[in-house]
Amino acid sequence: MKKLVCAILTLMMCFGSCAFAAGPERPDVTWDFAVPLSDTLSDYAVLVNRDNLLDKSYKPSPLVKVNGVKRATSTAVEMQGTAAEKLVEMFNAARQVFEYNYVNEKGKTVTATYDENGMVLYLKSGYRSYGTQATVYANYLARNNNVDDGYSSPPGASEHQSGLCADILNADYASRSRMTQDFKWTAEAQWMKENCADFGFILRYTEDGEALTKTAFEPWHFRYVGESIADYIMGRGITMEEFSEQAKAAYDDFIARGGDVDAWLAYEQAHLNQPPQPEVLEATDETGDHETSLLFF
């Protein structure tokens, strides 16, 4: 037994010394919000709405074409690089779904079945420049008797300019001339809402959050925020606005308690993605012989 453990420890010393290297000590004042501080300060956490506008010159980087997915448009769709990568992962995961139970417009649970291609999602739109959004907004107002009903955002207020969001449909709605909220009754909309957080996305404009988002319910609009934030938002059924407010309150409290942002970020960097640290325990078995075991914490 001891020989086996010694061999394990030797391998750990040879190959895992870097992984188990000591990092910065835990600061006295801790960040106790459920989402890591580094994630709340990342570019993926940016709040974009009518009260928090993007500059007209803003353009995401890197901006890439989204390849390898079905599109509901003949033109290429671009997104921010990481968001595009995760979107493709979500689309590929959907293709592994061959049966899915969902609730239809009559409130009845039914089963959607798919052929060998699985559930197929269609990408409608991604990044839009400030200028393009200005045109989209003006055209919408012209079609809607100059009434802003929350379905189209003014330039600077659109998440599409961030490159972090996408409008996603199924085959039926992809062939329609306009998107409607009835899309929520489809298996695809419900599967995405249920699973989007696994890929770092949230359903951005929820049905019961319109007063906070100031945007009409859009069951097709998904926003990339990263997995930790997505888990927090979707797990609690809140809006991006509510998350941003809670994260800011946690930040203000952290600073008020004397927290050191740089020190805590360094601590997170060193510890959050590290494997568990080993501790060697000496124990005696039922025969009285000494055994050596590893405790990971």
Side-chain angles (χ1 to χ4, degrees), residues 210-268:
E210 293 180 338
L212 294 171
T213 64
K214 299 179 183 178
T215 300
F217 170 48
E218 294 186 353
W220 55 80
H221 183 110
F222 289 85
R223 155 74 190 272
Y224 182 75
V225 293
E227 289 184 24
S228 65
I229 297 177
D231 285 341
Y232 186 93
I233 290 176
M234 296 303 295
R236 290 164 174 77
I238 63 175
T239 64
M240 185 75 178
E241 282 74 12
E242 290 170 296
F243 165 77
S244 296
E245 182 178 346
Q246 293 172 20
K248 183 181 184 304
Y251 182 89
D252 291 344
D253 175 69
F254 178 66
I255 297 300
R257 290 185 285 113
D260 185 324
V261 172
D262 290 336
W264 189 262
L265 290 176
Y267 177 77
E268 283 189 355

Side-chain angles (χ1 to χ4, degrees), residues 22-66:
E25 293 186 2
R26 185 183 181 92
D28 291 336
V29 180
T30 62
W31 172 259
D32 53 14
F33 191 54
V35 174
L37 175 61
S38 54
D39 289 349
T40 69
L41 298 177
S42 76
D43 291 341
Y44 304 130
V46 63
L47 178 63
V48 182
N49 57 27
R50 293 168 186 251
D51 298 317
N52 299 272
L53 305 178
L54 291 172
D55 186 83
K56 66 189 323 181
S57 64
Y58 179 82
K59 187 175 183 179
S61 179
L63 186 61
V64 302
K65 290 183 179 179
V66 184

